[in-house]
Amino acid sequence: MSAKKRFRFFSSDITFDAVNSVLLILVFLVVAYPLYYIVIASFSAPELVLNGRITLFPQGFQLDSYVRVFENPDILRGYWNSIMYTVVGTAINLLVTLPAAYAMSRSDLRGRTFFTLFFAFTMFFGGGLIPTFLVVQQLGLLNTFWVMVIPGALSVWNMLICRNFFQTNIPSELLEVSQMDGCTNRTFFIKVVLPLSKAIIAVMVLFYAVGHWNSFFNALIYLRDDALMPLQMVLRRLLVMAQPDPAMGADMMEDWVRMMMEVEMLRYALVVVASVPVLILYPFVQKHFVQGVMIGSIKG
């Protein structure tokens, strides 16, 4: 390669890398600034936030908003409910997803193709909201703790990811050797398959836990008791309260502004507090995350 061609080659690489770097930095700023703004607004005086005077740094630094969050009984109850829904719901998800995925990964399962198509069908077609509501009502789950964890016990997409993982990483020869030693299918799954599947289990924990923690639609549709409401519904109520009524008079608008000062004390701090559990969970599963997803997506 001549020196001229070599120079063109390297210069084109440098240009490509520079353009990519600039674009990635811009994307990062667009994504990161709203998150950063929420954090600095939670430490700023609410009147300054309402007046739009917060841009890059906190103004009127205060911690009263976080004190109000942890003193509010509705928020604490919603926080506890979300924790319980996340822990119990994720446990049920794993108890259903992992055995189903392992069974679907076995080549000796009769009707495996039929069951795969049967599960896949539900990814594209559903009964709709009203039939689902009627089923939940007939099962006696309406306005109970279990309505938040039972209807979504299985995610077909996650089950297929686990199935592909088992097919790729659990060789059939290992099962044959275990069966020669008198190992049953249940014992093989518990003592061999699960210990070898820590990566995909960590990924499933993250997927399901984040889904439960952020879930509010089921609570909006199926729950009526405030004592059962998750944290996301409390946050939604605060956001709805932030919307003024166009028909308000001057006196009512003043009352609304005073109320908004109280709401502003809670809103941004509550968003930060609601994000903490996910931020704590992610570092523990991050090392398994890429490995579990990539290995589970090689073979379909």
Side-chain angles (χ1 to χ4, degrees), residues 102-112 167 172 175-176:
Y102 173 68
M104 297 292 291
S105 70
R106 291 280 296 269
S107 59
D108 57 343
L109 175 66
R110 294 182 180 179
R112 186 174 68 158
Q167 288 178 338
S172 58
L175 174 61
E176 294 173 0

Side-chain angles (χ1 to χ4, degrees), residues 98-239:
L98 295 176
Y102 173 68
M104 297 292 291
S105 70
R106 291 280 296 269
S107 59
D108 57 343
L109 175 66
R110 294 182 180 179
R112 186 174 68 158
T113 302
F114 167 78
F115 289 119
T116 301
L117 295 175
F118 180 81
F119 279 113
F121 180 84
T122 64
M123 296 176 63
F124 303 99
F125 302 96
L129 180 59
I130 295 177
T132 303
F133 181 88
L134 294 176
V135 171
V136 170
Q137 187 180 43
Q138 292 297 321
L139 291 175
L141 297 176
L142 202 62
N143 200 36
T144 65
F145 174 91
W146 301 106
V147 77
M148 296 294 293
V149 296
I150 295 297
L154 174 68
S155 167
V156 177
W157 175 252
N158 290 341
M159 188 270 289
L160 294 177
I161 292 177
C162 292
R163 183 204 65 171
N164 294 342
F165 181 92
F166 292 144
Q167 288 178 338
T168 305
N169 294 271
I170 308 299
S172 58
E173 294 80 7
L174 189 59
L175 174 61
E176 294 173 0
V177 172
S178 300
Q179 288 177 336
M180 291 176 62
D181 291 335
C183 182
T184 63
N185 286 322
R186 183 176 60 182
T187 303
F188 179 76
F189 174 71
I190 295 175
K191 294 189 176 182
V192 178
V193 174
L194 292 182
L196 295 176
S197 306
K198 293 180 181 178
I200 197 64
I201 293 175
V203 173
M204 290 299 106
V205 168
L206 181 63
F207 282 0
Y208 280 124
V210 171
H212 283 292
W213 186 260
N214 292 329
S215 176
F216 74 94
F217 186 74
N218 281 358
L220 183 65
I221 300 299
Y222 302 125
L223 294 182
R224 296 293 179 268
D225 189 355
D226 289 341
L228 296 173
M229 291 297 176
L231 181 63
Q232 301 304 327
M233 283 298 295
V234 178
L235 178 58
R236 177 183 177 274
R237 289 177 180 176
L238 289 176
L239 296 177

Side-chain angles (χ1 to χ4, degrees), residues 241-262:
M241 290 173 63
Q243 304 301 320
D245 186 351
M248 286 181 179
D251 295 337
M252 295 179 63
M253 185 61 71
E254 292 179 1
D255 294 337
W256 177 82
V257 171
R258 284 194 294 269
M259 182 188 68
M260 274 301 303
M261 298 294 292
E262 295 295 325

Side-chain angles (χ1 to χ4, degrees), residues 81-94 97 148-149 152-153 155 158 200-216 232 274-275 277-282 285 289:
N81 289 339
S82 289
I83 292 175
M84 294 302 298
Y85 293 144
T86 300
V87 173
V88 176
T90 302
I92 293 176
N93 292 140
L94 294 179
T97 301
M148 296 294 293
V149 296
S155 167
N158 290 341
I200 197 64
I201 293 175
V203 173
M204 290 299 106
V205 168
L206 181 63
F207 282 0
Y208 280 124
V210 171
H212 283 292
W213 186 260
N214 292 329
S215 176
F216 74 94
Q232 301 304 327
S275 304
V278 177
L279 297 177
I280 294 176
L281 174 64
Y282 184 76
V285 300
F289 187 80

Side-chain angles (χ1 to χ4, degrees), residues 46-62:
E47 61 272 12
L48 299 179
V49 177
L50 285 174
N51 294 331
R53 296 174 58 183
I54 307 300
T55 52
L56 295 177
F57 302 102
Q59 301 290 335
F61 184 85
Q62 52 81 32

